[in-house]
């Protein structure tokens, strides 16, 4: 029996599958079940690490991900629950047996100042973190910049109200899937526009209610972003320990009827 392959008939209409793996759904507060921020995005053209907390190197291995061949890294801002694992990862891959034959380039993208931080760390211990067995390129990008983050996968950045350098990122296939990762952020109208109609919106939801700072989101704000931007699927992450006692999905449902997923370490999501 002949089966029709729709991708053969309508090649331009069928988008490929992306896979998101949550390495760390937590925050800077040490937690037994939630590592600090890190997400692995696998596309048909390569792999991308979104943020690099201190936990990501070993969490990647735990999830059986192909860390020796990671293609690109995105750093959203310089808080150490998002950046603190970059130097240890580079130290790890510099010496790991699995990377000694690697010749493929690793590309790191992040805000202005990332190079200075890495070079300062490097100089303090003479680690030679930027001198790898394989080529490494570091790109400092601006808000509202567009660039190719993986082959045929495009990224756009957006300045968020969290720290002076913090940025959200929108990652899209040509005519296909898109994922928005806000990282840490306060609420802004412009951010809601930026999040519009993503396949997956990976959104911080630090607090339940009565947030102690303006520069993070609480549930009602996260769900306002979801309601207006209407993602196909919403993944709530960056969960402080106060969420341990609360059914976040049930609370979210009261505010938005769409599909809300609670991030947890080890979540694998295909879209
Ligand atoms: Zn954070
Ligand atoms: Zn932060």
């Amino acid at each position: 029996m002949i089966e029709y392959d729709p991708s053969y008939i309508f090649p331009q209409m069928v988008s490929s599958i992306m896979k998101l793996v949550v390495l760390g759904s937590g925050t800077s507060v040490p937690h037994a079940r939630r590592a600090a921020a890190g997400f692995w995005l696998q596309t048909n053209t390569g792999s991308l690490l979104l943020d690099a907390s201190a936990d990501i190197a070993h969490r990647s291995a735990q999830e059986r991900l192909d860390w020796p061949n990671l293609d690109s890294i995105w750093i959203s801002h310089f808080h150490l629950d998002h950046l603190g694992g970059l130097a240890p990862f580079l130290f790890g891959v510099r010496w790991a047996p699995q990377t000694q034959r690697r010749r493929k380039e690793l590309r790191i993208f992040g805000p202005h100042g990332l190079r200075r931080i890495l070079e300062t760390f490097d100089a303090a211990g003479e680690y030679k973190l930027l001198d790898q067995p394989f080529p490494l390129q570091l790109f400092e990008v601006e808000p509202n910049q567009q660039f190719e983050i993986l082959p045929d996968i495009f990224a756009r950045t957006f300045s968020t109200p969290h720290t002076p350098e913090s940025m959200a990122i929108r990652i899209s296939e040509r005519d296909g899937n898109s994922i928005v990762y806000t990282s840490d952020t306060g609420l802004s109208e412009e951010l809601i526009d930026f999040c519009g109609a993503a396949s997956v919106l990976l959104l911080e939801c630090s607090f339940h209610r009565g947030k102690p700072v303006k520069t993070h989101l609480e549930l009602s704000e996260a769900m306002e972003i979801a309601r207006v931007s209407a993602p196909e699927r919403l993944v709530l992450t960056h969960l402080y320990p106060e969420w341990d006692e609360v059914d976040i999905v049930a609370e979210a449902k009261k505010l938005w009827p769409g599909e809300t997923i609670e991030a947890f370490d080890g979540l694998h999501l295909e879209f």
Side-chain angles (χ1 to χ4, degrees):
M1 193 174 106
I2 297 167
E3 288 193 26
Y4 289 106
D5 175 359
S7 66
Y8 176 74
I9 301 167
F10 304 112
Q12 75 283 11
M13 292 178 67
V14 177
S15 62
S16 58
I17 289 174
M18 286 189 182
K19 186 172 182 182
L20 179 72
V21 179
V22 176
L23 300 175
S25 57
T27 67
S28 58
V29 180
H31 192 283
R33 288 177 290 103
R34 296 192 189 279
F39 307 88
W40 185 282
L41 185 70
Q42 190 70 48
T43 76
N44 61 337
T45 65
S47 52
L48 167 65
L49 178 68
L50 298 167
D51 276 341
S53 74
D55 306 300
I56 55 97
H58 296 77
R59 284 284 301 121
S60 303
Q62 226 170 26
E63 297 294 340
R64 305 276 187 266
L65 297 167
D66 187 13
W67 57 266
N69 290 303
L70 176 64
D71 293 291
S72 296
I73 298 174
W74 164 249
I75 299 295
S76 65
H77 67 297
F78 300 150
H79 282 160
L80 288 175
D81 57 321
H82 299 256
L83 168 69
L86 182 57
F89 179 77
L90 294 176
F91 185 72
V93 294
R94 187 168 196 273
W95 298 107
Q98 294 94 324
T99 51
Q100 299 310 306
R101 290 166 189 269
R102 173 176 170 158
R103 296 295 171 263
K104 186 175 61 161
E105 184 175 81
L106 172 65
R107 304 199 301 161
I108 303 173
F109 301 85
H112 275 279
L114 182 59
R115 177 178 297 279
R116 188 180 61 84
I117 290 176
L118 264 183
E119 286 178 350
T120 303
F121 198 96
D122 212 20
E126 293 179 26
Y127 300 115
K128 297 188 169 63
L129 297 175
L130 302 177
D131 179 15
Q132 295 283 342
F134 47 84
L136 182 149
Q137 281 216 73
L138 184 64
F139 300 93
E140 294 187 329
V141 302
E142 313 268 349
N144 302 316
Q145 194 170 330
Q146 300 202 44
F147 53 95
E148 197 173 18
I149 199 161
L150 289 171
D152 280 327
I153 306 285
F154 300 92
R156 189 152 55 89
T157 55
F158 181 79
S159 174
T160 52
H162 180 66
T163 60
E165 81 285 359
S166 63
M167 287 185 277
I169 189 166
R170 185 180 187 103
I171 298 157
S172 314
E173 293 176 315
R174 218 189 289 275
D175 306 321
N177 276 316
S178 58
I179 175 168
V180 174
Y181 171 49
T182 62
S183 188
D184 296 358
T185 185
L187 185 63
S188 86
E189 290 297 321
E190 296 80 10
L191 176 66
I192 298 178
D193 291 342
F194 182 77
C195 292
S199 312
V200 169
L201 173 55
L202 179 58
L203 182 62
E204 83 120 289
C205 188
S206 290
F207 303 106
H208 187 191
R209 57 171 81 97
K211 64 179 186 178
V213 289
K214 276 191 163 170
T215 51
H216 279 296
L217 297 176
E218 61 184 45
L219 184 70
S220 63
E221 297 168 325
M223 301 320 288
E224 184 187 338
I225 294 174
R227 191 173 51 74
V228 180
S229 71
E232 284 172 34
R233 280 195 275 187
L234 173 68
V235 180
L236 296 177
T237 191
H238 205 267
L239 304 174
Y240 273 95
E242 67 174 67
W243 282 111
D244 290 359
E245 311 302 321
V246 185
D247 183 344
I248 190 170
V249 172
E251 292 297 306
K253 270 271 182 272
K254 294 176 189 169
L255 302 170
W256 181 61
E259 184 179 356
T260 300
I261 298 165
E262 174 184 0
F264 60 86
D265 294 17
L267 171 66
H268 289 232
L269 188 69
E270 287 191 350
F271 57 99

